[in-house]
PDB file of all heavy atoms in Angstrom:
ATOM      1  N   GLY A1263     -16.855 -27.115 -14.901  1.00 93.00           N
ATOM      2  CA  GLY A1263     -18.279 -27.102 -15.105  1.00 93.00           C
ATOM      3  C   GLY A1263     -18.910 -25.744 -14.900  1.00 93.00           C
ATOM      4  O   GLY A1263     -19.814 -25.337 -15.636  1.00 93.00           O
ATOM      5  N   VAL A1264     -18.409 -25.026 -13.897  1.00 93.00           N
ATOM      6  CA  VAL A1264     -18.938 -23.696 -13.641  1.00 93.00           C
ATOM      7  C   VAL A1264     -18.593 -22.741 -14.810  1.00 93.00           C
ATOM      8  O   VAL A1264     -19.421 -21.940 -15.232  1.00 93.00           O
ATOM      9  CB  VAL A1264     -18.365 -23.144 -12.323  1.00 93.00           C
ATOM     10  CG1 VAL A1264     -18.704 -21.663 -12.158  1.00 93.00           C
ATOM     11  CG2 VAL A1264     -18.934 -23.930 -11.149  1.00 93.00           C
ATOM     12  N   MET A1265     -17.353 -22.807 -15.280  1.00 96.00           N
ATOM     13  CA  MET A1265     -16.973 -21.937 -16.409  1.00 96.00           C
ATOM     14  C   MET A1265     -17.804 -22.242 -17.650  1.00 96.00           C
ATOM     15  O   MET A1265     -18.196 -21.339 -18.389  1.00 96.00           O
ATOM     16  CB  MET A1265     -15.479 -22.105 -16.699  1.00 96.00           C
ATOM     17  CG  MET A1265     -14.571 -21.550 -15.623  1.00 96.00           C
ATOM     18  SD  MET A1265     -14.659 -19.763 -15.459  1.00 96.00           S
ATOM     19  CE  MET A1265     -13.833 -19.243 -16.950  1.00 96.00           C
ATOM     20  N   GLN A1266     -18.112 -23.537 -17.887  1.00 96.00           N
ATOM     21  CA  GLN A1266     -18.942 -23.877 -19.033  1.00 96.00           C
ATOM     22  C   GLN A1266     -20.365 -23.420 -18.806  1.00 96.00           C
ATOM     23  O   GLN A1266     -21.005 -22.914 -19.753  1.00 96.00           O
ATOM     24  CB  GLN A1266     -18.904 -25.413 -19.280  1.00 96.00           C
ATOM     25  CG  GLN A1266     -19.628 -25.839 -20.549  1.00 96.00           C
ATOM     26  CD  GLN A1266     -18.986 -25.227 -21.789  1.00 96.00           C
ATOM     27  OE1 GLN A1266     -17.816 -25.407 -22.046  1.00 96.00           O
ATOM     28  NE2 GLN A1266     -19.812 -24.514 -22.578  1.00 96.00           N
ATOM     29  N   LYS A1267     -20.868 -23.583 -17.597  1.00 91.00           N
ATOM     30  CA  LYS A1267     -22.236 -23.116 -17.316  1.00 91.00           C
ATOM     31  C   LYS A1267     -22.363 -21.641 -17.520  1.00 91.00           C
ATOM     32  O   LYS A1267     -23.370 -21.135 -18.064  1.00 91.00           O
ATOM     33  CB  LYS A1267     -22.621 -23.458 -15.871  1.00 91.00           C
ATOM     34  CG  LYS A1267     -24.010 -23.065 -15.504  1.00 91.00           C
ATOM     35  CD  LYS A1267     -24.367 -23.457 -14.054  1.00 91.00           C
ATOM     36  CE  LYS A1267     -25.765 -22.998 -13.704  1.00 91.00           C
ATOM     37  NZ  LYS A1267     -26.112 -23.345 -12.285  1.00 91.00           N
ATOM     38  N   GLY A1268     -21.324 -20.889 -17.152  1.00 92.00           N
ATOM     39  CA  GLY A1268     -21.343 -19.461 -17.389  1.00 92.00           C
ATOM     40  C   GLY A1268     -21.412 -19.133 -18.871  1.00 92.00           C
ATOM     41  O   GLY A1268     -22.202 -18.276 -19.272  1.00 92.00           O
ATOM     42  N   ALA A1269     -20.603 -19.795 -19.654  1.00 95.00           N
ATOM     43  CA  ALA A1269     -20.603 -19.564 -21.094  1.00 95.00           C
ATOM     44  C   ALA A1269     -21.942 -19.932 -21.709  1.00 95.00           C
ATOM     45  O   ALA A1269     -22.488 -19.207 -22.555  1.00 95.00           O
ATOM     46  CB  ALA A1269     -19.480 -20.371 -21.773  1.00 95.00           C
ATOM     47  N   ASP A1270     -22.480 -21.063 -21.283  1.00 93.00           N
ATOM     48  CA  ASP A1270     -23.801 -21.496 -21.786  1.00 93.00           C
ATOM     49  C   ASP A1270     -24.875 -20.495 -21.419  1.00 93.00           C
ATOM     50  O   ASP A1270     -25.756 -20.181 -22.242  1.00 93.00           O
ATOM     51  CB  ASP A1270     -24.158 -22.870 -21.223  1.00 93.00           C
ATOM     52  CG  ASP A1270     -23.229 -23.972 -21.737  1.00 93.00           C
ATOM     53  OD1 ASP A1270     -22.533 -23.782 -22.738  1.00 93.00           O
ATOM     54  OD2 ASP A1270     -23.226 -25.064 -21.114  1.00 93.00           O
ATOM     55  N   THR A1271     -24.807 -19.983 -20.182  1.00 86.00           N
ATOM     56  CA  THR A1271     -25.795 -19.007 -19.751  1.00 86.00           C
ATOM     57  C   THR A1271     -25.715 -17.720 -20.554  1.00 86.00           C
ATOM     58  O   THR A1271     -26.733 -17.155 -20.975  1.00 86.00           O
ATOM     59  CB  THR A1271     -25.621 -18.704 -18.255  1.00 86.00           C
ATOM     60  OG1 THR A1271     -25.793 -19.901 -17.499  1.00 86.00           O
ATOM     61  CG2 THR A1271     -26.625 -17.658 -17.779  1.00 86.00           C
ATOM     62  N   PHE A1272     -24.496 -17.234 -20.769  1.00 88.00           N
ATOM     63  CA  PHE A1272     -24.307 -16.014 -21.574  1.00 88.00           C
ATOM     64  C   PHE A1272     -24.872 -16.214 -22.979  1.00 88.00           C
ATOM     65  O   PHE A1272     -25.459 -15.291 -23.576  1.00 88.00           O
ATOM     66  CB  PHE A1272     -22.845 -15.637 -21.642  1.00 88.00           C
ATOM     67  CG  PHE A1272     -22.417 -14.714 -20.524  1.00 88.00           C
ATOM     68  CD1 PHE A1272     -22.606 -15.061 -19.184  1.00 88.00           C
ATOM     69  CD2 PHE A1272     -21.846 -13.484 -20.805  1.00 88.00           C
ATOM     70  CE1 PHE A1272     -22.224 -14.221 -18.166  1.00 88.00           C
ATOM     71  CE2 PHE A1272     -21.492 -12.617 -19.784  1.00 88.00           C
ATOM     72  CZ  PHE A1272     -21.674 -12.989 -18.456  1.00 88.00           C
ATOM     73  N   HIS A1273     -24.689 -17.404 -23.545  1.00 92.00           N
ATOM     74  CA  HIS A1273     -25.204 -17.683 -24.878  1.00 92.00           C
ATOM     75  C   HIS A1273     -26.748 -17.757 -24.864  1.00 92.00           C
ATOM     76  O   HIS A1273     -27.417 -17.176 -25.715  1.00 92.00           O
ATOM     77  CB  HIS A1273     -24.614 -18.984 -25.433  1.00 92.00           C
ATOM     78  CG  HIS A1273     -25.076 -19.330 -26.790  1.00 92.00           C
ATOM     79  ND1 HIS A1273     -25.760 -20.515 -27.099  1.00 92.00           N
ATOM     80  CD2 HIS A1273     -25.027 -18.655 -27.976  1.00 92.00           C
ATOM     81  CE1 HIS A1273     -26.054 -20.534 -28.356  1.00 92.00           C
ATOM     82  NE2 HIS A1273     -25.632 -19.441 -28.917  1.00 92.00           N
ATOM     83  N   GLN A1274     -27.265 -18.467 -23.895  1.00 85.00           N
ATOM     84  CA  GLN A1274     -28.720 -18.631 -23.799  1.00 85.00           C
ATOM     85  C   GLN A1274     -29.432 -17.265 -23.612  1.00 85.00           C
ATOM     86  O   GLN A1274     -30.523 -17.055 -24.126  1.00 85.00           O
ATOM     87  CB  GLN A1274     -29.080 -19.555 -22.647  1.00 85.00           C
ATOM     88  CG  GLN A1274     -28.671 -21.024 -22.858  1.00 85.00           C
ATOM     89  CD  GLN A1274     -28.650 -21.831 -21.596  1.00 85.00           C
ATOM     90  OE1 GLN A1274     -29.017 -21.327 -20.524  1.00 85.00           O
ATOM     91  NE2 GLN A1274     -28.167 -23.049 -21.680  1.00 85.00           N
ATOM     92  N   LEU A1275     -28.761 -16.376 -22.875  1.00 79.00           N
ATOM     93  CA  LEU A1275     -29.354 -15.075 -22.605  1.00 79.00           C
ATOM     94  C   LEU A1275     -29.093 -14.060 -23.711  1.00 79.00           C
ATOM     95  O   LEU A1275     -29.519 -12.897 -23.607  1.00 79.00           O
ATOM     96  CB  LEU A1275     -28.844 -14.545 -21.267  1.00 79.00           C
ATOM     97  CG  LEU A1275     -29.137 -15.425 -20.040  1.00 79.00           C
ATOM     98  CD1 LEU A1275     -28.565 -14.821 -18.789  1.00 79.00           C
ATOM     99  CD2 LEU A1275     -30.617 -15.687 -19.907  1.00 79.00           C
TER     100      LEU A1275
END
Side-chain angles (χ1 to χ4, degrees):
V1264 169
M1265 291 294 289
Q1266 185 62 56
K1267 181 179 179 181
D1270 293 343
T1271 300
F1272 269 57
H1273 180 240
Q1274 292 163 5
L1275 301 180

